[in-house]
Amino acid sequence: MLKKPIIIDTDPGIDDAVALAIALFSEKLDVRLITTVAGNVSIDKVTYNALRLLKHFGKSIPVAKGSAQPLLRPGIDASDVHGVSGMEGWDFDEPDYGLLLPEHAVNAMYRTLKESKEKITLVPIGPLTNIALLLRMYPDVKEHIAEIALMGGSLTRGNKGVMAEFNIAYDPEAAKIVFASGLPIAVAPLDVGLKALVLPEDSAKLKGMNHTGDMIHALFQKYRGGSMKTGLKMYDSCAMAYLLAPEMFEIVETFVDVEVQGALTAGCTAIDLRGYLKQAPNAKVCVDIDDVKFKEWFLKSLSVCI
Ligand code: BDR
Ligand code: CA
């Protein structure tokens, strides 16, 4: 089977850790590079976490450290959700720093894209700062990108403000650049993440499933993305689900832009399902997910990890 080449841009993050496990052990994906971006916690912490995860998974994928702050605004973080380290709950081994590239994430992405024979899909599951910089610094990169399949935005309300989802709220200007890029974009917004739930009985199945299941089960005890009782939200896994099992989603092609000026709504994604803005579609948006199928897919995907 021909594997789909991808680059994952991430801010691990507990739900990022789960999404990385799914992607790295999928027989359908070829993860060429992992880039990090400040978001859930600082750039040093998320980079350390990405390296610690790779050591745990026994995978030798190059990692490049990226942006430490949003393009224009002061940074925010989500340590209230993921813990001070960004991945509280498991005693990881020290990572292999040999995997850390000397290049900045943006340069590593550019080089990897240019060197590849096939177009590569970018999978951002954190703020879009690195991706916006890539598109601005190297406009010729566009012809090497197959699609940008991202987790971010919301059809309705937010989780980091009344209207804004965290990844977009962190760096609205970067998100605006990405949505205006003209590239094929797929969006797994907050709304599908809210239905992609792990309940206590699901988490119990992870414990003892394999070494990765044990680790994720332990991280889930500290994760505050939802509650263990009513369901932990697997936001970032939805971007991988879009790539690996798109039939689980209802997908609508529509126009998406980002509010960067609103006094109360900065970082809100205007997902124009009713065509008010009279613009041509620029994104495929996952508007609904089959939660039962997601659950089956999720557990099956993690069962093949080591
Ligand atoms: C997004 O914000 C982060 O906290 C999660 O990792 C996810 O990428 C959900 O709004
Ligand atoms: Ca994330």
Side-chain angles (χ1 to χ4, degrees), residues 78-231:
S79 50
D80 53 330
V81 176
H82 302 268
V84 187
S85 69
M87 271 183 358
E88 288 299 313
W90 182 259
D91 192 12
F92 286 92
D93 289 342
E94 270 307 290
D96 173 4
Y97 290 99
L99 293 178
L100 188 59
L101 297 172
E103 300 160 287
H104 188 278
V106 173
N107 294 328
M109 275 196 262
Y110 180 60
R111 182 184 46 74
T112 305
L113 284 155
K114 292 281 278 190
E115 281 172 6
S116 172
K117 284 198 201 87
E118 316 97 329
K119 289 188 178 190
I120 299 180
T121 296
L122 304 184
V123 191
I125 53 175
L128 290 164
T129 319
N130 289 337
I131 310 295
L133 287 171
L134 173 74
L135 298 174
R136 279 295 154 95
M137 286 171 66
Y138 301 111
D140 62 308
V141 79
K142 285 189 184 177
E143 62 193 85
H144 302 276
I145 298 172
E147 187 176 31
I148 301 177
L150 64 94
M151 189 280 135
S154 167
L155 291 157
T156 49
R157 295 170 74 91
N159 64 347
K160 194 69 192 180
V162 181
M163 302 301 288
E165 179 280 329
F166 179 83
N167 288 342
I168 310 295
Y170 182 93
D171 196 342
E173 285 75 16
K176 193 171 180 73
I177 289 171
V178 172
F179 279 105
S181 67
L183 284 164
I185 295 178
V187 184
L190 191 65
D191 314 70
V192 291
L194 296 175
K195 285 183 76 179
L197 295 177
V198 168
L199 292 165
E201 59 268 29
D202 310 315
S203 183
K205 287 183 191 152
L206 293 174
K207 193 165 159 57
M209 179 185 260
N210 47 43
H211 194 36
T212 295
D214 285 340
M215 181 265 286
I216 292 172
H217 177 268
L219 296 182
F220 281 171
Q221 312 310 308
K222 302 284 178 181
Y223 180 49
R224 296 289 170 265
S227 84
M228 184 54 109
K229 232 169 150 190
T230 56

